[in-house]
Amino acid sequence: MFTRHLSGLLDEAERLHGDRPFLSDDHTFTYAQFATATRQLGGWLARRGVQRGDRAIILTRNRAEQALAAFATARVGGIFAVLHGAIREASLRRILGQVTPAVAFLDETTAHLAPAFGDVPIVWVGGGALPSNGARLEQLLAREPAECPPFPGVDVDPVCLIYTSGSTGAPRGVTLSHDNILFVVAAIQERLQYVPEDVVGVFLPLSFDYGLYQVFLAAQVGASVFIGGAELAGAALLATLERQRITVLPGVPTLFAALLKLLARGGTRTLRLRALTNTGAHLPLSHVEQLRQHLPGVSVFLMYGLTECKRVSILLPEELEAHPGSVGRALPGTEAMVVDEEGRVLPPGSVGELVLQGRHVALGYWQAPEETALRYRTHPRGLGRVLYSGDLFRMDAEGFLQFVGRRDFLLKCRGFRIHPLEIEEVACGLRGVAEAGVVQEPHVDRLHLFVTASASEDAAPLRETGLLDALASRLESYKMPDKVHWVPELPKTPNGKLDRAALAGLLGTGGRP
């Protein structure tokens, strides 16, 4: 009986698309070259004692070798964790205490973190004056045979840890099985319909699950992936899209806000884009309309997901007009329910917490049984295991979901419960506003709105007459911000999302970053 596992996805892609380009950064791997390299590295890992269930930490800049190390670890039944290259040593040490890795992958950008690994064997990726201990990947691939033992596990084995911030602020690893990943990749593909001719531009870190999943999505159909660093997501974005012939651009709202500024300044050049896919946070409807105006014929897919099950819903471009503000219907094989605080399923149109069931619901949090028990519970009708998302939603009679906001981000102000998105969405709908973020002044009923200006000159009248005047006719009085701060940019997390904690910190600086 054939056991499905993550590296089997790559093996099938090699069989069907061996000579096609797969991953590109400074150089390009074909599917055949990449699959061979994962067998070489997997064999090397196995010969050095890495076994089923052992962990590998992958800590480098954004590069193709991150995916190579991940697939090679999966081949031998190991569990990989791709960490962001900007991680602080204190956070790394907390993760290492949980994971106790059998091997680590570092490069010249993260070599300063090597002492935190102690005696853990290190594979050095790329060039640079790196320490002499461990093995250099380039030399390893030049001499090792492409001989790797067969996958030793089963499809429900854990294969990947995606690290996020826990409810206590400490890092926690969402634990995904081979089957979790393979199921949801197939379900996403049914909606997005990647094709072999696609070139997917990844400017998101591969430590962010949606960046990493682009590799899996491409492998499923034989498409190509260009892996870029964060520096290419700024002023160089349009030129990079053109030069790399990108057809699919996955991103988060901050990336698309930056893209809109560039489009307003420099036009569309000769872009080959056919699809944009948004995740990570709510993309204001006004930004969707601007993207469609600047890029006619390009499909915009609005989605909702969370690391604990990867993807929940996708709104097809042709559904946007009839369902504005929706993030689509649940993926095939996914049950979505909106429940009240007692766990009772609510009727259509009611606001409650989104609860999910399906094969993509993760195994839990690595070595965090109490947090796992809070989020992963019994189905409201006793039909197995479900994930409580922590997000507020409403669902209509046709099953279309509308994101209301994170429960954690709700504000209690002037006697009302307000979600920042209610204000941010309206602010972003004003011409001249690129991005917006709302925070509450601690212990008082004062709301502060931070905004950045778009590339056009439309922001000038707002500065002169006051953004508050423009908002007054669009917001209920209790939602009106007390003060507006125009800033050059909003603080971002390493994954490119709005950093609300850092935004709140700006209150103590008079609104200055």
Side-chain angles (χ1 to χ4, degrees):
M1 180 178 177
F2 178 71
T3 301
R4 300 171 73 237
H5 56 91
L6 185 59
S7 51
L9 179 70
L10 178 60
D11 293 339
E12 182 67 4
E14 177 192 23
R15 184 181 71 82
L16 297 173
H17 313 286
D19 293 334
R20 292 185 62 84
F22 179 27
L23 300 183
S24 301
D25 47 23
D26 299 330
H27 62 282
T28 299
F29 286 96
T30 66
Y31 275 95
Q33 291 168 339
F34 190 83
T36 297
T38 64
R39 293 188 192 99
Q40 290 176 284
L41 179 56
W44 183 88
L45 291 172
R47 287 188 287 276
R48 276 146 189 81
V50 177
Q51 305 176 45
R52 179 185 182 189
D54 285 347
R55 277 80 64 195
I57 294 289
I58 304 167
L59 180 55
T60 71
R61 64 173 173 83
N62 239 30
R63 61 193 307 163
E65 287 86 355
Q66 290 178 303
L68 195 163
F71 273 112
T73 302
R75 280 197 183 281
V76 298
I79 305 168
F80 63 85
V82 183
L83 304 183
H84 196 283
I87 192 171
R88 300 290 186 183
E89 184 173 347
S91 296
L92 174 62
R93 288 187 181 278
R94 285 196 293 269
I95 291 173
L96 293 178
Q98 297 173 13
V99 172
T100 56
V103 65
F105 296 82
L106 277 70
D107 68 4
E108 67 277 8
T109 67
T110 56
H112 63 284
L113 295 170
F117 288 88
D119 296 331
V120 174
I122 294 175
V123 177
W124 298 104
V125 180
L130 301 177
S132 58
N133 63 310
R136 193 177 287 271
L137 180 62
E138 183 179 10
Q139 296 173 353
L140 185 157
L141 296 179
R143 69 171 187 264
E144 291 292 322
E147 298 173 359
C148 185
F151 174 69
V154 294
D155 58 2
V156 294
D157 278 358
V159 66
C160 175
L161 302 179
I162 302 288
Y163 265 87
T164 66
S165 295
S167 59
T168 61
R172 62 183 180 186
V174 177
T175 309
L176 301 169
S177 72
H178 295 263
D179 186 62
N180 286 153
I181 295 174
L182 293 173
F183 167 78
V184 79
V185 165
I188 294 170
Q189 167 61 10
E190 187 168 321
R191 296 278 173 91
L192 296 186
Q193 295 290 300
Y194 284 15
V195 296
E197 294 74 27
D198 275 328
V199 179
V200 184
V202 178
F203 304 96
L204 304 169
L206 296 192
S207 57
F208 178 33
D209 59 342
Y210 195 53
L212 181 63
Y213 268 76
Q214 298 307 313
V215 175
F216 307 146
L217 287 165
Q220 187 174 223
V221 299
S224 302
V225 178
F226 170 75
I227 300 174
E231 71 280 359
L232 296 179
L237 181 58
L238 278 182
T240 305
L241 295 176
E242 183 178 30
R243 184 175 63 255
Q244 299 296 334
R245 304 165 75 88
I246 303 298
T247 63
V248 177
L249 180 61
V252 294
T254 54
L255 176 68
F256 293 123
L259 176 61
L260 282 172
K261 286 187 177 182
L262 294 173
L263 290 171
R265 291 171 182 161
T268 59
R269 301 182 178 230
T270 54
L271 299 181
R272 294 174 175 265
L273 285 173
R274 71 165 190 85
L276 309 175
T277 67
N278 176 75
T279 191
H282 175 69
L283 183 64
L285 191 57
S286 58
H287 286 190
V288 176
E289 293 306 320
Q290 291 175 57
L291 288 168
R292 295 171 77 187
Q293 291 168 13
H294 282 291
L295 300 169
V298 175
S299 298
V300 180
F301 291 86
L302 302 181
M303 309 187 293
Y304 167 77
L306 63 165
T307 307
E308 287 81 355
C309 71
K310 180 54 212 148
R311 180 65 63 239
V312 174
S313 63
I314 299 175
L315 183 73
L316 300 178
E318 59 267 26
E319 296 171 330
L320 182 61
E321 299 294 339
H323 302 278
S326 173
V327 290
R329 287 178 287 189
L331 294 178
T334 302
E335 181 184 20
M337 299 162 280
V338 176
V339 306
D340 63 16
E341 293 184 355
E342 283 72 45
R344 295 171 299 206
V345 178
L346 294 169
S350 302
V351 174
E353 183 174 0
L354 186 67
V355 174
L356 305 154
Q357 186 177 41
R359 280 170 50 196
H360 49 336
V361 170
L363 302 180
Y365 300 116
W366 184 260
Q367 292 193 354
E370 292 182 0
E371 279 204 78
T372 296
L374 286 174
R375 297 291 296 276
Y376 297 89
R377 308 182 213 166
T378 302
H379 191 289
R381 293 191 288 272
L383 302 175
R385 183 170 171 271
V386 295
L387 167 65
Y388 277 70
S389 70
D391 288 338
L392 299 176
F393 269 82
R394 63 170 57 89
M395 182 166 57
D396 69 17
E398 297 178 77
F400 284 88
L401 293 164
Q402 184 174 21
F403 179 66
V404 175
R406 288 284 306 169
R407 289 180 60 179
D408 297 346
F409 296 157
L410 276 175
L411 306 176
K412 183 71 176 294
C413 189
R414 302 161 191 151
F416 293 89
R417 291 192 179 277
I418 303 169
H419 199 282
L421 282 178
E422 299 176 84
I423 303 168
E424 293 162 2
E425 173 86 20
V426 174
C428 287
L430 299 174
R431 294 180 63 84
V433 175
E435 298 176 274
V438 171
V439 293
Q440 184 176 16
E441 193 171 332
H443 313 303
V444 294
D445 280 356
R446 286 177 57 83
L447 297 177
H448 291 254
L449 172 63
F450 291 83
V451 291
T452 65
S454 65
S456 70
E457 298 179 356
D458 294 327
L462 287 177
R463 289 178 183 269
E464 295 170 5
T465 63
L467 185 57
L468 291 176
D469 291 342
L471 290 173
S473 63
R474 296 169 172 84
L475 286 173
E476 293 86 350
S477 59
Y478 62 88
K479 296 179 184 176
M480 282 293 295
D482 295 280
K483 187 172 179 57
V484 173
H485 307 269
W486 288 89
V487 294
E489 61 180 356
L490 298 182
K492 310 294 193 306
T493 69
N495 293 338
K497 302 179 185 180
L498 175 63
D499 189 334
R500 293 189 181 275
L503 191 66
L506 296 185
L507 291 178
T509 67
R512 297 184 301 276

